[in-house]
Amino acid sequence: PQSVLAALGRRLQATPTLGFLFSTGDLADNAIAEILRRRLPPSCDVIGARTEELQALVPEGEARGATMLGVVRERGQIAMQLGSFPDAEARSFHIPKRLCGQIARAQNDAAAQALLREHNYPLGSEWKTIVLVSAGVDPEPVVRGFQRGHPGTAIIGGIAESQLLVHSRGRTRVEKEGVAGLALRGDVPLTALVSRGCSALSAAFKARGARVVTSESEDDAEAEQALLIPEFVGEDGASVLPIHVAIEAQRRMRGVRMMFSGVRFGDEGGFLLEQLSNDCFQQGGALLLPLQEAPAEAEV
């Protein structure tokens, strides 16, 4: 950690106002908090998380502007990015797991937004970009709570293995679960991109017999839509049960604790990610994934 922050300090040409820190080690290590306190100005807000693997673009040799993709899985390493946006205001925050649950159970998006406002989280069209990193909770209801009232706000982020870090006003705290966030307003020259933060654990398949069904919600208050996939079909035309693909993927995980399915409707567009658990598989090996809204007819 010391060498990373020292190198960043040498390259910075302006006072940092925000940053992101990811580590393969324990974020609760007092050395990390002490280094952030000593090397960063009190006005610099940082969020981060613990992860199994680090991927970062790092300088390549002495060539000015040349970078290379660095990938690290060794324990106890960190990757950090600092930025200077003097015409923007950055505000870091943490949403505890309990409140994430309340937001998920809210009757509608307006009720979810009311909960966020009640706890003084950054809502409003003036917040142009919000970064959200979750651990141990479903981030989707939280994202909807921020997004639906202000569709012009760009929301980016991801899902972490465990431990969330929030550094603000010179103080660092680490939480086991919830959502860490960094909101920006003012002049925010950022562009949202999709990272390559996932490693494939299986080949890509076509879905055979996929259909939208109605499933019961956890509290049985209302029915929810879900996508039922009875079987997969490989490139060779052979069919396989989804549960068998998941079992084989688990054997390849090598200590990774979370596994996701990626579903795409049609040949274009992005994938809908869903964290897999035993509840996603039906008797007989079919895969059942929740849907926010039914897709138009398209190949899965």
Side-chain angles (χ1 to χ4, degrees):
Q2 293 93 332
S3 61
V4 171
L5 283 168
L8 282 171
R10 289 192 297 270
R11 290 198 296 271
L12 281 175
Q13 299 180 359
T15 302
T17 58
L18 60 88
F20 302 96
L21 185 152
F22 296 93
S23 174
T24 58
D26 184 7
L27 289 176
D29 185 347
N30 290 333
I32 294 178
E34 180 62 19
I35 293 167
L36 294 177
R37 184 188 66 80
R38 287 192 292 107
R39 290 193 172 270
L40 296 181
S43 57
C44 181
D45 278 28
V46 176
I47 65 169
R50 181 174 180 174
T51 181
E52 289 286 341
E53 179 180 283
L54 301 175
Q55 296 186 12
L57 288 174
V58 296
E60 184 176 16
E62 299 298 326
R64 184 176 180 82
T67 60
M68 60 179 290
L69 179 64
V71 180
V72 177
R73 287 188 175 179
E74 181 184 350
R75 306 306 294 175
Q77 304 299 303
I78 71 169
M80 187 169 187
Q81 182 178 33
L82 295 175
S84 179
F85 299 93
D87 296 323
E89 175 188 346
R91 177 184 168 190
S92 60
F93 57 90
H94 173 258
I95 305 176
K97 182 177 181 178
R98 172 189 53 79
L99 182 56
C100 290
Q102 293 177 5
I103 293 171
R105 294 189 296 272
Q107 292 183 347
N108 49 47
D109 294 335
Q113 291 168 26
L115 284 169
L116 290 170
R117 286 196 179 91
E118 179 184 343
H119 292 83
N120 198 32
Y121 289 108
L123 281 176
S125 57
E126 70 273 18
W127 296 99
K128 296 182 178 180
T129 302
I130 299 178
V131 182
L132 300 175
V133 181
S134 70
V137 300
D138 180 5
E140 197 163 333
V142 177
V143 172
R144 289 202 309 270
F146 280 103
Q147 186 81 87
R148 291 296 173 87
H150 308 285
T153 300
I155 298 180
I156 56 180
I159 300 173
E161 173 199 355
S162 63
Q163 287 192 316
L164 300 169
L165 178 143
V166 178
H167 176 85
S168 180
R169 298 180 182 177
R171 297 184 178 182
T172 302
R173 60 190 175 117
V174 176
E175 305 287 348
K176 292 183 179 180
E177 299 170 310
V179 174
L182 185 69
L184 301 169
R185 65 181 174 185
D187 185 7
V188 186
L190 292 180
T191 300
L193 299 173
V194 178
S195 74
R196 42 178 300 190
C198 295
S199 298
L201 295 172
S202 73
F205 297 93
K206 296 287 187 182
R208 175 180 288 166
R211 63 186 186 275
V212 176
V213 299
T214 300
S215 64
E216 294 182 348
S217 62
E218 292 183 359
D219 57 8
D220 293 330
E222 58 180 319
E224 297 179 341
Q225 290 184 321
L227 179 68
L228 180 66
I229 305 177
E231 60 181 4
F232 296 149
V233 180
E235 291 184 354
D236 59 358
S239 61
V240 59
L241 289 174
I243 187 64
H244 291 165
V245 175
I247 292 173
E248 180 59 30
Q250 283 183 317
R251 294 173 181 164
R252 302 178 182 177
M253 288 176 69
R254 286 180 270 179
V256 179
R257 298 182 183 179
M258 293 188 295
M259 183 165 58
F260 296 83
S261 66
V263 176
R264 181 170 66 185
F265 301 98
D267 295 328
E268 299 180 353
F271 287 81
L272 299 176
L273 294 182
E274 181 70 27
Q275 184 173 345
L276 294 180
S277 66
N278 291 337
D279 295 336
C280 295
F281 295 94
Q282 303 294 288
Q283 187 174 5
L287 179 63
L288 186 69
L289 300 174
L291 284 177
Q292 292 303 313
E293 56 185 57
E297 285 192 18
E299 194 174 39
V300 181

